[in-house]
Amino acid sequence: MRRAVYPGSFDPVTNGHLDVIERAARQYDEVLVAIAHNEAKTGLFTFEERVALLREAVQQHPNVQVTQFQGLLVDYARSVQAQVILRGLRAVSDFEYEFQMALMNRKLDSDVETMFLMPKEEYTYLSSRLVKEIARLGGDIGAFVPDCIARALRAKFAATDSAPSRKP
Ligand code: ADP
């Protein structure tokens, strides 16, 4: 059983993440998309919202599961008997951080291998941060995220915009 863990914040999941997940689903028997649960780091979407959105976005892949982890990633990988940590590489700018993380994780547990997958070229410029920024400014995000995420982003910003603003 070849099991891989794909960790991240997924705030929210984009077509770039999904491209990586699809590639991984073809290579591994089971892919656990693991959302990092970090109390100190609040995103646009709550942790529960990110789990629900990700589940909806990957539902067509029977061998992909959405899970969560807290603490050290290598401990989580070991606890679920995953041999591989997956990360996506978009551009040279991702490389330094990812390289450092991969080597650090190897130091912590030499049995878990980090593997990198590159998305389709058209997704290499995509990030959750940019998608959120475009959605916040009312831009069209249809090409960057699946429909369920685009709807959730629109609803999130509509709710934020209609919230009563505090007087200065
Ligand atoms: P993190 O906070 O761990 O960077 P992200 O949710 O932003 O979490 O990303 C999770 C993983 O997916 C990282 O390896 C990141 O490099 C990768 N990733 C993010 N966006 C893309 C994309 N457009 N194409 C391919 N990989 C991506």
Side-chain angles (χ1 to χ4, degrees):
M1 178 74 151
R2 300 216 0 107
R3 185 177 287 139
V5 172
Y6 180 34
S9 316
F10 305 103
D11 183 39
V13 62
T14 68
N15 288 343
H17 293 125
L18 291 171
D19 184 280
V20 167
I21 291 169
E22 270 163 38
R23 286 170 203 282
R26 290 196 291 268
Q27 301 299 325
Y28 296 93
D29 298 314
E30 194 169 43
V31 178
L32 305 181
V33 184
I35 308 182
H37 200 157
N38 185 347
E39 301 274 336
K41 214 170 132 187
T42 52
L44 174 67
F45 290 98
T46 65
F47 179 75
E48 289 74 21
E49 286 171 333
R50 281 183 273 152
V51 173
L53 289 172
L54 202 38
R55 287 215 166 111
E56 196 173 342
V58 302
Q59 63 188 351
Q60 71 273 32
H61 301 294
N63 61 337
V64 175
Q65 278 186 50
V66 177
T67 62
Q68 56 155 301
F69 74 101
Q70 258 173 317
L72 276 180
L73 176 60
V74 285
D75 288 345
Y76 174 70
R78 202 181 306 125
S79 74
V80 293
Q81 282 143 29
Q83 304 87 346
V84 167
I85 292 172
L86 285 174
R87 296 290 286 176
L89 265 191
R90 281 164 289 193
V92 181
S93 52
D94 278 340
F95 180 77
E96 199 171 336
Y97 174 70
E98 294 290 345
F99 184 67
Q100 205 179 2
M101 284 262 292
L103 292 185
M104 182 56 87
N105 281 332
R106 180 183 284 167
K107 198 85 190 157
L108 293 171
D109 187 340
S110 57
D111 291 337
V112 183
E113 202 65 64
T114 301
M115 307 286 273
F116 294 99
L117 288 172
M118 283 158 292
K120 258 192 213 142
E121 238 171 85
E122 64 203 84
Y123 298 140
T124 50
Y125 59 88
L126 255 185
S127 71
S128 301
R129 187 183 60 78
L130 268 182
V131 170
K132 283 184 282 194
E133 190 63 10
I134 295 165
R136 190 176 67 79
L137 298 171
D140 183 3
I141 47 169
F144 310 138
V145 291
D147 287 348
C148 59
I149 306 293
R151 276 197 302 275
L153 277 165
R154 279 195 292 269
K156 188 63 100 176
F157 286 115
T160 315
D161 291 346
S162 61
S165 58
R166 285 199 297 154
K167 294 227 162 69

